[in-house]
Amino acid sequence: AQSVTQPDIHITVSEGASLELRCNYSYGATPYLFWYVQSPGQGLQLLLKYFSGDTLVQGIKGFEAEFKRSQSSFNLRKPSVHWSDAAEYFCAVGARGNKLVFGAGTILRVKS
Amino acid sequence: SQTIHQWPATLVQPVGSPLSLECTVEGTSNPNLYWYRQAAGRGLQLLFYSVGIGQISSEVPQNLSASRPQDRQFILSSKKLLLSDSGFYLCAWSFATRMKVEQYFGPGTRLTVT
């Protein structure tokens, strides 16, 4: 069965510092991978997605993620974090029946 | 473009009362529809999904039910709420094709059962 692990429950970075959020997945075939962001009390917004092709994908708000098949990872990165990036981030993998399996989420705090 | 609406935005209901949450999608036809729950400090739990009118699949046994009376309308219901039903309820939609599995989420409904 598909599963997603986000090993970091909380991460705190200083404004302007770089960011990397980790995501590991378990899936038997070529995965469809996603990162979503959720601000407090809001719905989830799609940041980026990987289906095939170039393993480095660009998303909205300056985020990017790299698919590494050998490590079963899809880590999210941003070179310079802004205070407005503080939110919860979810990694997800596509499953049968057009369903998604989500990780438990990582809460990002940004220090000024 | 497509939009998804949920209402109400917040709801406070006593234990034992009924529940009806509504989700509608605009700008697309025959979408897949999903209900999720987020309990405090926990991830997303898929409750129900639907691939068409009247077609509902339940992911976990619970006190809730779902219905899809129209193509772009998805309703989450309960006859008698429990305290454990409190949480943040999210509706989502996706295209029905296998190559477009990303889901788009509504703004959510905060349900507090007292």
Side-chain angles (χ1 to χ4, degrees):
Chain A
Q2 300 89 350
S3 66
V4 175
T5 301
Q6 294 180 246
D8 303 304
I9 299 174
H10 297 97
I11 280 187
T12 300
V13 299
S14 297
E15 191 169 14
S18 64
L19 170 71
E20 183 169 31
L21 301 183
R22 295 183 291 164
C23 171
N24 293 97
Y25 67 90
S26 172
Y27 189 71
T30 300
Y32 293 171
L33 295 162
F34 309 87
W35 275 99
Y36 286 85
V37 60
Q38 184 182 32
S39 297
Q42 304 294 318
L44 277 70
Q45 182 182 20
L46 180 65
L47 281 177
L48 49 77
K49 59 188 177 186
Y50 171 78
F51 282 178
S52 64
D54 194 344
T55 57
L56 184 64
V57 294
Q58 303 297 319
I60 62 172
K61 304 185 179 187
F63 285 92
E64 66 178 25
E66 187 171 13
F67 169 59
K68 293 186 177 180
R69 183 187 299 275
S70 61
Q71 299 178 20
S72 296
S73 69
F74 188 57
N75 294 349
L76 182 71
R77 301 194 294 247
K78 186 170 185 178
S80 178
V81 169
H82 188 262
W83 63 266
S84 60
D85 293 324
E88 188 162 16
Y89 292 80
F90 293 93
C91 181
V93 63
R96 287 187 297 175
N98 278 28
K99 292 184 281 186
L100 296 181
V101 174
F102 286 86
T106 297
I107 296 173
L108 172 65
R109 299 187 178 119
V110 180
K111 293 189 302 184
S112 57
Chain B
S1 64
Q2 300 88 8
T3 56
I4 178 169
H5 305 279
Q6 285 186 248
W7 62 89
T10 61
L11 191 60
V12 181
Q13 293 283 95
V15 168
S17 64
L19 172 73
S20 181
L21 303 182
E22 189 165 344
C23 170
T24 59
V25 179
E26 296 176 354
T28 188
S29 297
N30 195 32
N32 290 345
L33 296 171
Y34 310 83
W35 277 112
Y36 290 87
R37 176 170 58 203
Q38 249 184 327
R42 300 177 67 179
L44 283 84
Q45 179 185 33
L46 179 62
L47 302 176
F48 301 96
Y49 71 96
S50 171
V51 299
I53 295 173
Q55 301 179 64
I56 310 293
S57 296
S58 174
E59 289 295 292
V60 292
Q62 59 211 314
N63 185 44
L64 302 169
S65 63
S67 62
R68 185 169 176 175
Q70 300 180 44
D71 181 44
R72 289 168 289 178
Q73 184 185 32
F74 205 22
I75 297 172
L76 184 69
S77 303
S78 174
K79 292 182 179 178
K80 290 186 178 182
L81 283 169
L82 306 173
L83 284 174
S84 58
D85 292 323
S86 292
F88 192 52
Y89 287 83
L90 289 160
C91 181
W93 74 273
S94 73
F95 291 101
T97 60
R98 179 66 181 97
M99 293 302 294
K100 290 192 174 185
V101 299
E102 65 265 33
Q103 293 176 18
Y104 300 93
F105 285 79
T109 294
R110 173 74 59 194
L111 172 65
T112 304
V113 182
T114 60

